[in-house]
Amino acid sequence: MTESQGAYPQQQSYSAPVHPEWPPPPTYQPATDPAAHKRKRNRGPVALLAAVAIVAAAVGGGTAYAFQQLTGKDTVATSGTSTNVVPSSKRGNVAAIAAAVSPSVVEIQATLSSGSSTGSGVIITGNGEIVTNNHVISGAQSIKVRTSDGKSYTAEVVGTDSSKDLALIRLQGASGLKPAALGNSSGVQVGDTVVAIGSPEGLTGTVTSGIVSALSRDVTVSTDENQGQGQGGDGNWPFQFGGRQFNGDTGSSTTTYKAIQTDASLNPGNSGGALIDASGNVIGINSAMYSSSQQSSSSSDAGSIGLGFAIPVNTVKSDLAKLRAGSKG
């Protein structure tokens, strides 16, 4: 991907209810017969799994993922509050966060009729469901994904939601991948430490850090499948912010979402990658950035100037059921 002016929407997995693996409560009262009670006590594995499910319901996040491994179900690891993906003693340590979360971030290469698009994605299930930006895979004829260990996969689009610039793709023949823990973006505050992981300019696994510089920024993006494509993968996805347009005309069909603003350095190819909190939870999907690198030849104006935007992870979680149902909107 080559450099381009302006904001780079950060390049594009169903919105299921949180913890869909938990069974609904029984519609009858538990048996009180002593013999039945004894029989239940003898069913050790079932009792163990039930206990794990109850604990998962209480604390979410990492426990939900443990339940997934015990039952063999492939469900999203989510957190109602915050989990410690990194040890408490390493909270805020960029190296520890990068080591823990990098295996859950992938590079995406989409082949288009008019060129190619490079972006990033976040693994949310062990069998290869990946959340990314819709603009990363919009109009793609084929999609290739490379994981942090260098393995390559072919991916298919499961569902898209252009109104939120989100998409869900699934790797073919993948298993045993490490899902990211989806945190709670409603608890994010201005000044919080954040880490961004993605593939800017095709540099897989690049890690940058910064803080949350603002919340609830109105970012407007195009919903036209053909808008912003055809520049040979240079990341020129148009968007509007603060009454101005960046990376071209967004056209007449647009949508606006509330974004997390960060000063963590983002560049073309970070689109669809992870914005992570100090505990290692994904709190956003990087989607757009502004750079003045093409507005002036002066070296003082080149590169990221600390205006990046991410789609809050709570928006992603609320949209998963729609994406998993195969929505193509």
Side-chain angles (χ1 to χ4, degrees), residues 117-138:
S117 173
T118 301
S120 306
V122 177
I123 298 171
I124 63 168
T125 63
N127 70 344
E129 284 186 342
I130 293 172
V131 169
T132 186
N133 287 139
N134 178 61
H135 73 256
V136 173
I137 55 86
S138 179

Side-chain angles (χ1 to χ4, degrees), residues 54-315:
I54 293 171
V55 175
V59 300
T63 308
Y65 180 64
F67 179 68
Q68 166 190 333
Q69 298 305 306
L70 285 172
T71 61
K73 292 184 179 180
D74 210 3
T75 53
V76 180
T78 62
S79 172
T81 52
S82 179
T83 58
N84 290 321
V85 177
V86 296
S88 331
S89 60
K90 296 288 187 179
R91 190 178 189 279
N93 183 298
V94 176
I97 295 169
V101 186
S102 288
S104 302
V105 181
V106 302
E107 177 183 301
I108 298 174
Q109 293 279 351
T111 300
L112 315 170
S113 60
S114 54
S116 63
S117 173
T118 301
S120 306
V122 177
I123 298 171
I124 63 168
T125 63
N127 70 344
E129 284 186 342
I130 293 172
V131 169
T132 186
N133 287 139
N134 178 61
H135 73 256
V136 173
I137 55 86
S138 179
Q141 298 177 331
S142 65
I143 302 172
K144 296 293 184 181
V145 171
R146 184 168 61 174
T147 54
S148 64
D149 59 4
K151 293 182 180 179
S152 295
Y153 297 88
T154 297
E156 59 182 1
V157 176
V158 176
T160 60
D161 187 349
S162 61
S163 68
K164 295 181 176 66
D165 196 16
L166 291 172
L168 183 71
I169 63 175
R170 183 186 294 115
L171 305 186
Q172 296 179 359
S175 63
L177 301 181
K178 181 180 180 181
L182 305 187
N184 180 16
S185 52
S186 67
V188 175
Q189 297 181 342
V190 173
D192 283 353
T193 297
V194 289
V195 172
I197 303 179
S199 300
E201 306 293 355
L203 300 173
T204 305
T206 295
V207 178
T208 57
S209 64
I211 63 168
V212 172
S213 51
L215 297 171
S216 299
R217 294 297 201 195
D218 287 331
V219 172
T220 300
V221 298
S222 172
T223 57
D224 184 349
E225 176 178 296
N226 299 314
Q227 192 70 38
Q229 306 290 8
Q231 287 108 358
D234 61 6
N236 277 357
W237 184 259
F239 75 94
Q240 299 174 13
F241 170 68
R244 300 173 58 193
Q245 296 192 67
F246 304 103
N247 291 343
D249 183 5
T250 55
S252 58
S253 178
T254 62
T255 185
T256 300
Y257 59 82
K258 298 289 185 181
I260 298 171
Q261 182 180 314
T262 176
D263 69 352
S265 179
L266 302 178
N267 290 284
N270 273 114
S271 288
L275 187 68
I276 308 152
D277 69 11
S279 296
N281 300 286
V282 175
I283 57 168
I285 300 297
N286 296 318
S287 56
M289 62 84 60
Y290 170 76
S291 171
S292 61
S293 59
Q294 297 299 313
Q295 294 181 343
S296 170
S297 59
S298 169
S299 60
S300 64
D301 289 332
S304 171
I305 63 171
L307 286 175
F309 305 96
I311 301 167
V313 75
N314 286 4
T315 300

